Amino acid sequence: MRFTSRPKMNYMPGTASLIEDIDKKHLVLLRDGRTLIGFLRSIDQFANLVLQQTVERIHVGKRYGDIPRGIFIVRGENVVLLGEIVSRQQTHTLTLQKSELLREGSSMYGNFMDLEKESDTSLQQVCIEDILEEQRLQQQSRQEAEKTKHLALKERGLVMPRSDIMDEYGVQHQY
């Protein structure tokens, strides 16, 4: 009987696959909706992250502001999305490589150029005070719209449970 070697795996399972991403700039979307940008310095088996030179980015429309946070420790269960941020120079190099593949007739990147045009958005950076004020106004208008919706439903005999008094399991509490 002859044994053959197992095929080599091109990936590492679980959080071990992030080892090669250490010391690279990443964007982290948290469960509470916050967006962090920083250099990934450490990760463990629970996907707990340590980010350095971290900024919290706040988006309101096409404007954004960055709040410096320094070293940031993120519990793994709060991470919704983690992705490496590629610099404009790296993006340009990738674009050239992929357009070369397109010229050679590769259909693998058929719609790449269309996607690249769609993702080219221009965001305007504003100071921290301005973006925090815009965020406050946006949250206030959302709350007012939610109140109006609840009143309209109540007039029709429908009562929706309020999300601010529900726990994480959807159980409504009386306070």
Side-chain angles (χ1 to χ4, degrees), residues 4 22 45 48 58 63 73 79 89 119 124 128 150 164 174:
T4 59
I22 288 182
Q45 70 270 25
N48 296 322
I58 299 174
R63 302 174 79 184
I73 300 172
V79 176
Q89 183 180 3
S119 68
Q124 177 188 5
I128 296 169
H150 280 289
D164 61 339
Q174 300 289 329

Side-chain angles (χ1 to χ4, degrees), residues 34 37 44 55 95 103-104 113 116 124 135 139 154 162:
R34 289 185 292 169
I37 297 173
D44 66 8
V55 295
T95 303
R103 274 185 269 135
E104 292 173 3
M113 293 303 184
E116 178 116 336
Q124 177 188 5
Q135 183 184 42
Q139 288 172 346
K154 190 175 182 179
R162 291 180 30 198

Side-chain angles (χ1 to χ4, degrees), residues 118-162:
E118 288 176 18
S119 68
D120 186 28
T121 59
S122 57
L123 296 176
Q124 177 188 5
Q125 185 171 8
V126 296
C127 70
I128 296 169
E129 293 81 15
D130 290 347
I131 200 68
L132 288 174
E133 179 63 19
E134 286 185 40
Q135 183 184 42
R136 187 188 66 75
L137 292 172
Q138 183 184 49
Q139 288 172 346
Q140 187 177 6
S141 67
R142 283 182 183 167
Q143 287 174 347
E144 289 172 6
E146 193 68 25
K147 282 181 185 178
T148 305
K149 183 173 92 173
H150 280 289
L151 286 173
L153 289 171
K154 190 175 182 179
E155 288 173 359
R156 291 171 177 81
L158 299 170
V159 179
M160 299 294 290
R162 291 180 30 198

Side-chain angles (χ1 to χ4, degrees), residues 41-56:
R41 296 300 185 205
S42 180
I43 187 160
D44 66 8
Q45 70 270 25
F46 304 108
N48 296 322
L49 309 173
V50 176
L51 298 171
Q52 188 177 22
Q53 297 176 6
T54 308
V55 295
E56 180 179 347

Side-chain angles (χ1 to χ4, degrees), residues 9-64:
M9 294 174 52
N10 292 335
Y11 69 94
M12 292 181 278
T15 57
S17 62
L18 293 172
I19 299 281
E20 55 197 37
D21 285 344
I22 288 182
D23 295 333
K24 294 180 182 174
K25 196 171 194 177
H26 282 75
L27 178 137
V28 181
L29 180 62
L30 300 180
R31 194 165 60 170
D32 64 2
R34 289 185 292 169
T35 302
L36 303 174
I37 297 173
F39 289 92
L40 182 65
R41 296 300 185 205
S42 180
I43 187 160
D44 66 8
Q45 70 270 25
F46 304 108
N48 296 322
L49 309 173
V50 176
L51 298 171
Q52 188 177 22
Q53 297 176 6
T54 308
V55 295
E56 180 179 347
R57 180 159 288 179
I58 299 174
H59 291 94
V60 178
K62 291 198 174 224
R63 302 174 79 184
Y64 73 93

